[in-house]
Amino acid sequence: MHTSHLILDPDDPVQAESRIAEAAGILKRGGLVAFPTETVYGLGANALDPAAVAAIFEAKQRPFWDPLIVHVADEPMLLRVVSEIPERAHEAMRQFWPGPLTLLLPRSPNLPERVTAGREKVAVRMPAFPHALALIRMAGLPIAAPSANLFGRPSPTTAAHVLSDLNGRIDAVLDSGPTRVGLESTVLDLTLNPPVIYRAGAVSREQLREVLGDVVAYHPATGEIPESLPSPGVGIRHYAPTARLVLVPLADLVATARAYREKKIGIMLPDEVPGHEIEAAGAVIFRWGSFTEPATLARNLFAGLRTLDECGVETILCPMPGEGQGLFAAIRDRLAKAARES
Ligand code: TXA
Ligand code: MG
């Protein structure tokens, strides 16, 4: 299959609109289109077409037990995929949509089973990025879209990342440059009381609490198989580079890098650590950003892991930022999952 690379010219709205229309046409015909959102690039297909949904799993090599998020552009579209909208969901939507918050809601019987992997709740979100909304509106369809990477790999934050995983496996990628947030949406189950966060993300627990009151974070018991978890993505090695990822306290980074002298290593290097000490130890460096700026760390995280992989390092050393508040919770979650052995 040939994958069309549809670059959107930021200075030419007419050109952008005609390429988005081309992509919307592919979606209407049952094809696969990767597209940028404010979080990461998604791999979209018509959520109401079982064959198109099956093709997403095939292209990503994603196991059928891991369900997909459905992306919508307005409330009538939402009502095509859910059976009801609880009052608390209305509050969350008023506050955080369009934006990087995914809600689990009771599914509509019209939705193909494989979207939710047979579960009774469907994950839905309304993305904020204008080109994503324009694509969904022009297609006129709810769009099922996981991150546009091969299963288990770091999520794509540029069209080049998408092509490196999926070139020849999908119909097209819409390219509007790097994504703004760089980490995926927060996954929240509002049908439970108190609501449960299954995946920390761009909307923080603290922000949710201001609107919804108590909100708890889910922690899977160790050793559970992912199929049986309430949200399968929470329990597995994920977002992982090919190299082995080793997490170290910031204070030990330089000493640990020196101890690895014999091996080819890469380092996710914060601005706070002087690079020359580590370069002397022969490490490949990715300049990650300041440890006081979580938005920068989030935006660069997956690009850094992919860049170091491309340099052929065997091990990536990465210091753990923050203490688990706000966006730091999501960054730490992705690093912990990427560093798991299985
Ligand atoms: O920011 C994002 O959320 C991006 C962009 C493209 O929107 N999408 C994304 O999708 O990250 P994906 O498939 O890579 O991650 C979706 C997560 C997985 O951990 C999955 O297990 C969980 O949401 N999930 C999806 N549907 C679910 C459902 N019905 N019940 C429980 N968990 C669900
Ligand atoms: Mg994903």
Side-chain angles (χ1 to χ4, degrees), residues 63-332:
F64 277 100
W65 45 255
D66 199 1
L68 308 178
I69 297 174
V70 177
H71 296 65
V72 298
D74 51 40
E75 196 165 317
M77 208 181 259
L78 177 63
L79 288 168
R80 292 171 76 181
V81 298
V82 304
S83 61
E84 60 170 309
I85 306 177
E87 182 43 40
R88 250 189 326 183
H90 274 293
E91 270 164 53
M93 284 156 49
R94 265 194 299 275
Q95 191 68 26
F96 298 106
W97 280 15
L101 177 66
T102 294
L103 301 177
L104 296 188
L105 296 177
R107 60 174 282 224
S108 153
N110 301 329
L111 196 68
E113 287 232 337
R114 45 174 64 116
V115 173
T116 65
R119 291 155 188 266
E120 284 313 305
K121 295 174 199 170
V122 57
V124 285
R125 97 172 179 99
M126 187 186 292
F129 189 61
H131 290 155
L133 279 176
L135 175 68
I136 300 165
R137 271 199 201 106
M138 273 197 221
L141 293 165
I143 300 296
S147 49
N149 50 322
L150 285 174
F151 186 69
R153 301 262 303 140
S155 294
T157 57
T158 67
H161 297 161
V162 174
L163 289 168
S164 129
D165 280 17
L166 299 176
N167 195 15
R169 305 178 67 86
I170 63 176
D171 295 290
V173 55
L174 273 185
D175 182 350
S176 348
T179 58
R180 175 170 58 80
V181 178
L183 284 182
E184 302 84 349
S185 62
T186 305
V187 178
L188 180 72
D189 190 339
L190 270 181
T191 67
L192 304 176
N193 196 8
V196 176
I197 296 174
Y198 286 120
R199 180 174 70 182
V203 174
S204 70
R205 182 177 174 190
E206 293 77 10
Q207 286 173 291
L208 291 171
R209 280 186 161 169
E210 275 177 33
V211 177
L212 301 167
D214 193 22
V215 174
V216 298
Y218 178 78
H219 295 289
T222 45
E224 269 197 82
I225 55 166
E227 291 94 314
S228 67
L229 293 172
S231 183
V234 299
I236 43 178
R237 182 168 194 267
H238 232 100
Y239 318 109
T242 308
R244 191 165 73 100
L245 180 64
V246 177
L247 305 177
V248 292
L250 182 59
D252 298 345
L253 185 62
V254 174
T256 312
R258 289 200 174 132
Y260 270 83
R261 197 180 296 249
E262 309 305 320
K263 291 210 182 110
K264 201 166 179 207
I265 63 163
I267 299 197
M268 296 289 286
L269 191 72
D271 292 350
E272 284 77 2
V273 180
H276 60 266
E277 295 190 26
I278 285 178
E279 268 155 12
V284 183
I285 284 172
F286 178 82
R287 297 244 160 230
W288 192 7
S290 168
F291 257 34
T292 61
E293 289 169 22
T296 308
L297 299 177
R299 188 160 51 241
N300 293 337
L301 173 63
F302 291 137
L305 297 178
R306 282 181 178 263
T307 302
L308 293 174
D309 251 355
E310 275 160 24
C311 295
V313 303
E314 289 165 35
T315 302
I316 296 174
L317 291 186
C318 182
M320 267 293 213
E323 284 171 1
Q325 298 259 320
L327 196 51
F328 283 121
I331 297 169
R332 293 168 66 95

